[in-house]
Amino acid sequence: DSGVTQTPKHLITATGQRVTLRCSPRSGDLSVYWYQQSLDQGLQFLIQYYNGEERAKGNILERFSAQQFPDLHSELNLSSLELGDSALYFCASSVGGTPTQYFGPGTRLLVL
Amino acid sequence: GENVEQHPSTLSVQEGDSAVIKCTYSDSASNYFPWYKQELGKRPQLIIDIRSNVGEKKDQRIAVTLNKTAKHFSLHITETQPEDSAVYFCAALGGATNKLIFGTGTLLAVQP
């Protein structure tokens, strides 16, 4: 157990819908990262937040957005869902000054 | 842009043999190189990491070597066991972007 938690574990929804994925980092970690893992794309970095501020951006679609709240938990919002958005979404966290990232258990999203 | 290439994509070894997975990176400013193990449907787990000021690091049966000149790093697993079977990902932290770029993964199968 890495200490990073994610909810929900599984999510099944329809195309066009909007979902919110939630992540709580390890105690004391200020940075949160979001990744998408699909069969044909591997682990793709989406976005990083540090202490509430966006720090780095990867291949995140405009339909996706994220935020980090004052209690340091983070939410990833996915809207206008398409079949191709079906994937495992992982959150990771790290202590602010170190690069070591610890992953949560992931949310498996299925868009029908 | 930043890129990490990983080889081989699949690797089958007999129990007790050694396994070697190789990665090359494009960003010469990268200074942190973690390796993750991911079992089916589970989260990526950090197994070992190395920073650019070190050429080799060992942890029991696992070792990582880094050649900064060639921009190449490798994972070595000795005395493999069936429980080592998983997908292994290498990654490199972008020097300027602070993004972790992952390789495409190696499926390691250890035959008993």
Side-chain angles (χ1 to χ4, degrees):
Chain A
D1 184 0
S2 65
V4 180
T5 61
Q6 288 186 248
T7 56
K9 270 188 167 178
H10 305 278
L11 203 45
I12 302 174
T13 188
T15 53
Q17 294 299 303
R18 172 190 166 95
V19 297
T20 297
L21 313 184
R22 183 189 168 104
C23 167
S24 291
R26 296 185 319 157
S27 177
D29 284 0
L30 299 177
S31 277
V32 168
Y33 311 78
W34 286 98
Y35 292 88
Q36 180 191 57
Q37 186 176 39
S38 53
L39 280 173
D40 58 344
Q41 292 289 320
L43 268 165
Q44 297 287 318
F45 168 71
L46 295 178
I47 197 163
Q48 177 202 356
Y49 279 82
Y50 174 78
N51 204 21
E53 301 285 328
E54 182 183 305
R55 175 63 66 90
K57 217 166 184 175
N59 301 320
I60 188 166
L61 300 172
E62 284 191 16
R63 300 184 285 109
F64 296 0
S65 65
Q67 53 184 324
Q68 186 178 27
F69 295 86
D71 67 353
L72 300 177
H73 91 271
S74 178
E75 293 181 357
L76 179 67
N77 301 295
L78 315 176
S79 61
S80 303
L81 285 167
E82 302 175 359
L83 296 177
D85 297 327
S86 296
L88 261 172
Y89 290 84
F90 286 104
C91 162
S93 74
S94 71
V95 174
T98 68
T100 306
Q101 296 182 25
Y102 296 93
F103 281 76
T107 293
R108 185 176 294 277
L109 173 66
L110 181 59
V111 182
L112 300 175
Chain B
E2 301 146 329
N3 186 47
V4 175
E5 293 189 2
Q6 183 172 349
H7 299 282
S9 56
T10 60
L11 181 59
S12 181
V13 299
Q14 290 295 124
E15 182 176 358
D17 287 351
S18 295
V20 180
I21 302 170
K22 299 182 180 183
C23 290
T24 57
Y25 59 98
S26 60
D27 183 358
S28 56
S30 291
N31 55 19
Y32 174 70
F33 308 90
W35 285 88
Y36 286 86
K37 174 184 179 182
Q38 188 178 27
E39 296 174 1
L40 190 62
K42 302 282 182 67
R43 64 185 175 90
Q45 271 187 289
L46 180 71
I47 55 172
I48 196 166
D49 56 12
I50 191 167
R51 295 181 187 245
S52 58
N53 58 348
V54 175
E56 184 173 355
K57 185 175 177 181
K58 196 171 181 181
D59 182 5
Q60 299 183 328
R61 296 185 297 109
I62 293 173
V64 59
T65 58
L66 172 65
N67 182 330
K68 282 209 71 180
T69 304
K71 291 191 282 187
H72 170 276
F73 59 113
S74 300
L75 177 72
H76 304 253
I77 306 174
T78 58
E79 299 170 29
T80 53
Q81 301 165 4
E83 50 265 39
D84 294 330
S85 297
V87 178
Y88 290 81
F89 290 95
C90 63
L93 186 71
T97 64
N98 205 42
K99 296 181 207 175
L100 206 52
I101 307 299
F102 282 84
T104 48
T106 296
L107 175 61
L108 173 64
V110 180
Q111 310 295 335

